[in-house]
Amino acid sequence: MGEATPTSGVETSGGEPTLRDRLGDLLENETFLGYGSLSPVMLLFLFIAVFPIIWALAGSFFAINAFNPVWEWTGISNYQHLFFEDGFYWSAVVKSVIFGFGSVAVQVVVGIIFALILQRSFRGNAFARAVVLLPYLVPVIVVGLVFQWMMNPNYGVFNLLAIRFGLINEAINFLGNQDIAMYALIVAASWKWSIFVVMMSLARLEAIPSGYYDAARVNGANAWQRFRDITLPNLKGMIILVVLLRGIWMFNKFDIIWIMTRGGPSQSTTTLPVYAYRVAFNQWQLGESLAIASTLFLTLVVGAAIYFGKFNPEQEVRVE
Amino acid sequence: MSYTTSKSPIERLMDYYVRNVPHATQKRISTWLFRFLVGATVIVVGFPTYVMLKASIQPELELFSKTFLFVPRNPTFENFAGLFTETSFARFYLNSIVAALGTMVISVVSATLAGYSLTRFTFPGKKRLAQSVLFSYMFPPLLLALPMFMIWRDLQLLNSYPGIILAHSAHALPFDIWLMWKFFQTVPISYEESAWIYGASRLRAMRDVAIPMALPGIIAVSIFSFAISWSDFTFANLLLTQESMKTLPIGMLGFIEQQAVNWGLIMSASVMMALPAFLLVYFLQSYLLRGFSVGGLG
């Protein structure tokens, strides 16, 4: 990469190097060009990613009230309050874990099954792939509102069909029932984000040499054994990566939950991000809200440490 | 490898099936089973989309009846008309388009430069920079949006186009850079080398040779950054509070908060909002799939 030295256009013969020559040299210098073409991104990142994160970590040590411009230094008392005095924090952690792990588990299983089906070539494969690809591009607000409509206790299709087919006698208020709301959210979230797993699995499945399957068939392996001994081991790396990435994303998910339930009914779907939002905009305790966000950030750092330690992602960025 | 030892119940069932059912029947069963699975997949994934499309053209009376109609009996476009006469939908749409186009321009320009830099130049600190790009890919939106709300408030960027465009760029850039980075690696460097031999400067070779060859990647990045801004809820919800500045997602949430929820209106707004996604999938499928497969992570 970049090994060949570029031949500069015109050689100036003798004498002092003019300003023009120096500029020309600079424009052939890789370090200068490298930083130069990265500078827009670096500036943007400093302003829109690094600065907000530092702001959040710093702000978590202050009492910040939305209506008072003065930040009051309170040390670790925001964290102390969250961990030891505020009963809601740990319940929100548990809710986050249920939503995160639950939806990732569904996404991985469903995603791999869909990928195994779509991987085979059949008539109408392009159409089927297009239908399956769609949810990933449909905006989350649309997903949230459509599922809210389908789960409506009075007119929702789930209730109407289930009653018509005699599965239930009485309409269920999926999003209004404390015991069910979380599972309803997991269903809606999995509908949209399973597609991520489908796409990653399809890419991985195509990389398995078909000779493996032929050899297994010759040895008398049946379909289940071929899946267990060839497909699954080959998908293992992808599955771990997906569980890690999607796990972090679902654990920190805010939009679908806020759109569908606002954390309710009565806190039953208040995960950490929803709780952080509520503390900020219902109680106007911005410092404490930043402390919640900072604990989320720590989970991200742990995840990243595993990601970089185990997967060497910058090596993965390569042409296959 | 031999398959004789330690059989699970499912394997014993498979063995029984393989040994006792005639081969032709097995083939027929597996063909039909497969067709059933494809059909079930398409129905499960396509059903919410179908419900949305159907509800958008149903009159209110039919929508709130207690029987589910698979085909609407009295299709109508009154819901769509209502969007423009009864709500600020047109204003939300305009705001969304401005935000999405702004995000697209910023992300494409800076991601293209960064992708080129990361593949073509060697300089100290490159590995660390590359890692931080990948790390920021994992950032969840709310983590940035909360502090951004406070910073934007102090900088007077709340309820402004630049404010929301910057926030959406923060969300879109990591993946865009990743994509351009991978894309420039599919463009062989030898074309630029021959341009150098003919006297082109490095910058000129980049502008006239490498960037045109990476055009499919640039199109994919444009689509993705547009889509990220178009569908973002979290940033818009915090950073846009004025009715006249709201983008589609939060504008639509307002419909739900009204006294009597008009689901026909909401479903037709959903169709209008999902429309770009349908069109993209239909017309630009090859670019999208290429983007997904090159980007690897979707």
Side-chain angles (χ1 to χ4, degrees):
Chain A
M1 217 188 296
E3 286 305 309
T5 359
T7 42
S8 56
V10 188
E11 294 288 333
T12 41
S13 49
E16 285 282 297
T18 62
L19 189 67
R20 201 190 159 82
D21 292 336
R22 285 209 192 130
L23 193 67
D25 283 349
L26 200 58
L27 286 178
E28 299 296 326
N29 180 315
E30 289 208 8
T31 306
F32 175 77
L33 288 172
Y35 286 124
S37 45
L38 263 176
S39 57
V41 162
M42 292 194 307
L43 281 175
L44 274 171
F45 266 161
L46 279 180
F47 182 58
I48 57 188
V50 179
F51 186 38
I53 290 291
I54 292 173
W55 180 286
L57 292 175
S60 69
F61 296 104
F62 289 85
I64 309 170
N65 190 290
F67 307 106
N68 181 358
V70 181
W71 288 23
E72 195 188 320
W73 171 264
T74 54
I76 56 165
S77 82
N78 281 332
Y79 291 97
Q80 263 177 339
H81 179 246
L82 284 177
F83 295 159
F84 304 113
E85 292 152 35
D86 181 352
F88 282 131
Y89 179 80
W90 292 110
S91 118
V93 171
V94 172
K95 300 276 158 48
S96 280
V97 170
I98 294 175
F99 180 74
F101 279 82
S103 62
V104 169
V106 176
Q107 286 167 34
V108 167
V109 173
V110 170
I112 289 175
I113 292 174
F114 282 5
L116 285 171
I117 293 169
L118 291 175
Q119 175 218 14
R120 303 226 323 221
S121 61
F122 54 91
R123 217 152 44 104
N125 181 299
F127 171 76
R129 279 191 186 211
V131 171
V132 170
L133 192 70
L134 208 58
Y136 200 70
L137 289 169
V138 171
V140 65
I141 180 85
V142 173
V143 177
L145 292 178
V146 170
F147 270 88
Q148 235 177 305
W149 168 237
M150 294 198 299
M151 290 169 174
N152 184 297
N154 298 315
Y155 314 103
V157 48
F158 288 156
N159 274 315
L160 295 183
L161 287 184
I163 290 172
R164 189 193 286 182
F165 291 116
L167 298 175
I168 51 175
N169 297 320
E170 213 172 301
I172 300 171
N173 190 354
F174 293 99
L175 295 170
N177 184 326
Q178 295 190 40
D179 303 327
I180 305 178
M182 182 58 93
Y183 302 104
L185 282 181
I186 290 176
V187 167
S190 303
W191 181 77
K192 180 165 167 61
W193 285 289
S194 291
I195 310 311
F196 179 86
V197 184
V198 174
M199 288 184 302
M200 287 199 65
S201 311
L202 277 175
R204 200 76 206 89
L205 285 172
E206 265 152 36
I208 304 175
S210 60
Y212 289 5
Y213 291 103
D214 299 336
R217 263 195 210 97
V218 170
N219 281 307
N222 60 38
W224 163 250
Q225 288 165 331
R226 292 199 299 272
F227 174 76
R228 188 195 60 190
D229 293 340
I230 301 171
T231 314
L232 214 50
N234 272 290
L235 290 181
K236 204 177 114 193
M238 186 275 304
I239 293 173
I240 296 173
L241 180 65
V242 160
V243 167
L244 183 71
L245 277 180
R246 278 249 68 91
I248 289 174
W249 286 331
M250 298 318 283
F251 188 78
N252 289 289
K253 203 89 208 135
F254 169 75
D255 46 18
I256 188 98
I257 302 177
W258 187 255
I259 290 166
M260 289 181 72
T261 66
R262 311 281 162 95
S266 59
Q267 312 279 343
S268 63
T269 57
T270 301
T271 59
L272 275 183
V274 175
Y275 188 49
Y277 183 90
R278 286 191 150 181
V279 169
F281 297 103
N282 292 358
Q283 304 168 16
W284 296 106
Q285 299 297 331
L286 299 180
E288 200 170 309
S289 161
L290 290 181
I292 303 173
S294 300
T295 62
L296 284 174
F297 182 68
L298 286 182
T299 64
L300 183 68
V301 171
V302 172
I306 303 172
Y307 182 49
F308 284 103
K310 195 162 168 57
F311 291 99
N312 210 355
E314 66 271 31
Q315 292 300 308
E316 271 174 37
V317 183
R318 200 191 307 123
V319 190
E320 264 91 17
Chain B
M1 197 186 297
S2 68
Y3 289 88
T4 44
T5 47
S6 65
K7 302 234 168 183
S8 69
I10 206 166
E11 284 166 288
R12 266 186 252 132
L13 197 71
M14 284 293 292
D15 285 350
Y16 177 84
Y17 171 77
V18 169
R19 241 181 271 118
N20 296 299
V21 179
H23 189 66
T25 318
Q26 275 184 31
K27 268 215 134 131
R28 212 164 339 123
I29 288 176
S30 69
T31 308
W32 277 105
L33 193 67
F34 182 69
R35 279 181 194 157
F36 169 77
L37 285 174
V38 171
T41 305
V42 168
I43 288 173
V44 165
V45 182
F47 188 67
T49 315
Y50 154 77
V51 167
M52 173 182 81
L53 286 171
K54 189 183 70 80
S56 75
I57 54 167
Q58 277 182 307
E60 212 173 326
L61 203 68
E62 206 172 289
L63 213 51
F64 293 117
S65 84
K66 294 256 178 184
T67 41
F68 183 78
L69 298 174
F70 280 96
V71 182
R73 224 168 264 158
N74 308 301
T76 166
F77 282 100
E78 68 184 31
N79 294 325
F80 287 94
L83 277 182
F84 293 94
T85 53
E86 291 164 34
T87 70
S88 328
F89 190 77
R91 178 75 207 184
F92 301 151
Y93 221 92
L94 175 77
N95 290 339
S96 271
I97 287 177
V98 173
L101 286 180
T103 307
M104 197 172 100
V105 170
I106 288 192
S107 324
V108 167
V109 171
S110 39
T112 305
L113 284 171
Y116 190 81
S117 178
L118 287 171
T119 47
R120 295 300 198 259
F121 302 126
T122 36
F123 51 89
K126 189 167 109 168
K127 199 182 160 193
R128 284 269 165 271
L129 281 168
Q131 281 181 337
S132 55
V133 167
L134 290 167
F135 177 48
S136 52
Y137 180 54
M138 301 162 84
F139 275 18
L142 190 80
L143 218 55
L144 291 179
L146 269 179
M148 237 180 221
F149 166 76
M150 299 184 199
I151 300 168
W152 268 216
R153 189 182 56 180
D154 293 351
L155 296 176
Q156 312 267 313
L157 281 171
L158 290 181
N159 290 310
S160 75
Y161 287 133
I164 195 68
I165 289 171
L166 279 174
H168 286 170
S169 302
H171 194 22
L173 267 175
F175 180 66
D176 290 346
I177 295 170
W178 166 287
L179 209 66
M180 283 318 296
W181 183 6
K182 280 201 134 186
F183 229 96
F184 274 118
Q185 286 174 335
T186 68
V187 178
I189 197 168
S190 51
Y191 295 99
E192 284 149 84
E193 282 167 354
S194 49
W196 301 337
I197 289 167
Y198 284 105
S201 69
R202 306 242 6 194
L203 287 177
R204 192 137 175 236
M206 165 182 162
R207 194 191 67 194
D208 293 348
V209 180
I211 289 182
M213 290 185 75
L215 205 60
I218 292 176
I219 293 175
V221 166
S222 317
I223 298 170
F224 284 118
S225 9
F226 190 95
I228 279 196
S229 169
W230 188 257
S231 39
D232 165 65
F233 173 82
T234 309
F235 289 105
N237 186 39
L238 263 71
L239 307 180
L240 306 173
T241 47
Q242 257 168 33
E243 193 68 10
S244 65
M245 283 306 295
K246 285 183 175 176
T247 52
L248 277 172
I250 38 170
M252 281 167 67
L253 200 69
F255 298 165
I256 277 247
E257 280 151 1
Q258 284 159 6
Q259 287 281 302
V261 179
N262 186 339
W263 280 105
L265 214 62
I266 289 170
M267 288 300 121
S268 56
S270 298
V271 171
M272 295 286 288
M273 205 188 159
L275 200 63
F278 286 101
L279 295 178
L280 287 179
V281 169
Y282 188 76
F283 288 110
L284 296 169
Q285 206 181 25
S286 62
Y287 287 116
L288 279 174
L289 286 173
R290 181 139 183 231
F292 278 129
S293 64
V294 170
L297 280 180

